[in-house]
Amino acid sequence: MTVDQGFLADCRARLAFDLLANTWNAVVIWALREGAERPGRLRERIGGISPKVLTETLRRLEFNGLVERRVRAGAPPRVDYELTDLGRSLLPPIEAFGVWAFEHGDEVMAAQERGGS
Amino acid sequence: MTVDQGFLADCRARLAFDLLANTWNAVVIWALREGAERPGRLRERIGGISPKVLTETLRRLEFNGLVERRVRAGAPPRVDYELTDLGRSLLPPIEAFGVWAFEHGDEVMAAQERGGS
DNA sequence: CAGAATCCTTTACGATACTG
DNA sequence: CAGTATCGTAAAGGATTCTG
């Protein structure tokens, strides 16, 4: 399919951009790419995210239908989060950015150095 | 190339996500995909962006080496912005999201409706 | 028309402490 | 360990006005 001139006018395109328009959404989706995870392990894998912000992010992703929350009753709380089919469909575009970062990240950092001097 | 487990730990990956971690960066890059544009026309094409925010966004993109600002002296101010090679290299990943939005945008909106009820 | 200046509101994000 | 509550900061975004 071709993305044409009406691209910016289409609210769905904006919607997709909005899904990535914060620091953590894409990171958390990516951290869930291999399957369900418990919050604690997610925090370990991601690093630098506070419990509160992780919860907020997961709630936001859940609200958008990208993540599913599952609770299994028990003495130690058992909660995990898993990507929905919709969430999984977002992995290839996200990976495209990861690949781009590996290829061009140093150029961006070089530009930032120049601008900061 | 393969994006491996170290993905999240790599600061370049975070850097790439940060480039999209705001409402307008991706939108403006996309609006510049066909070549240099003057700010006025950019605002028309994008819609819903104030002059101030557009300027801020362009400065940010310039700082990151994605956009180049060119001024040509004259009575009526002649300024335009153009993607650098680095900026252009970001178009395919961005388009991947656009395509995703066309294919799955309605699913996201449906999920939001359910969550909002 | 470019864009800087000002003012304002909202929200993301972070740190910490507390509850079940 | 999950997750909420609270507090605080920083930044994004919007509206408006003014200048070259």
Side-chain angles (χ1 to χ4, degrees):
Chain A
M1 114 175 269
T2 309
V3 175
D4 59 58
Q5 316 80 304
F7 188 77
L8 288 171
D10 190 299
C11 57
R12 283 181 298 184
R14 286 289 177 82
L15 188 150
F17 288 154
D18 284 347
L19 286 180
L20 303 189
N22 70 67
T23 309
W24 296 111
N25 276 14
V27 175
V28 171
I29 291 173
W30 188 253
L32 285 169
R33 71 192 178 287
E34 287 170 354
E37 279 287 12
R38 297 169 47 211
R41 280 188 46 88
L42 275 178
R43 259 184 286 130
E44 289 171 25
R45 295 183 51 179
I46 293 173
I49 188 172
S50 71
K52 180 198 138 190
V53 171
L54 177 60
T55 300
E56 285 173 352
T57 304
L58 287 166
R59 291 279 185 282
R60 197 165 45 223
L61 295 175
E62 194 184 7
F63 177 77
N64 286 294
L66 303 173
V67 156
E68 189 183 10
R69 178 176 187 265
R70 292 183 311 198
V71 189
R72 285 166 302 190
R78 283 287 166 174
V79 182
D80 59 29
Y81 293 88
E82 188 172 21
L83 290 179
T84 61
D85 288 339
L86 184 58
R88 260 184 297 277
S89 72
L90 207 40
L91 288 175
I94 287 177
E95 180 161 10
F97 273 105
V99 172
W100 182 90
F102 273 94
E103 292 171 350
H104 301 284
D106 49 351
E107 297 173 58
V108 175
M109 288 189 286
Q112 290 177 349
E113 301 275 332
R114 281 193 296 276
S117 65
Chain B
M1 111 174 274
T2 309
V3 175
D4 59 60
Q5 316 79 303
F7 188 78
L8 287 171
D10 190 299
C11 57
R12 284 181 298 184
R14 286 288 177 84
L15 188 150
F17 288 154
D18 284 347
L19 286 180
L20 302 189
N22 70 68
T23 310
W24 297 110
N25 276 14
V27 175
V28 171
I29 290 173
W30 188 253
L32 285 170
R33 71 191 177 287
E34 287 169 355
E37 279 287 12
R38 297 169 47 213
R41 280 188 47 88
L42 275 178
R43 259 183 286 131
E44 289 171 23
R45 295 182 52 176
I46 293 172
I49 188 172
S50 72
K52 179 199 138 192
V53 172
L54 177 60
T55 298
E56 286 173 351
T57 304
L58 288 166
R59 291 279 184 282
R60 197 163 46 221
L61 295 175
E62 194 183 7
F63 176 78
N64 286 294
L66 303 173
V67 156
E68 188 184 12
R69 178 175 187 265
R70 291 183 313 199
V71 189
R72 284 166 305 191
R78 282 288 166 173
V79 182
D80 60 29
Y81 293 87
E82 187 173 22
L83 290 179
T84 62
D85 288 340
L86 185 58
R88 260 185 297 278
S89 73
L90 206 40
L91 287 175
I94 287 177
E95 180 162 10
F97 273 105
V99 172
W100 182 89
F102 273 92
E103 292 171 349
H104 301 284
D106 50 350
E107 296 173 60
V108 175
M109 288 189 286
Q112 289 176 349
E113 301 275 331
R114 281 193 296 276
S117 66

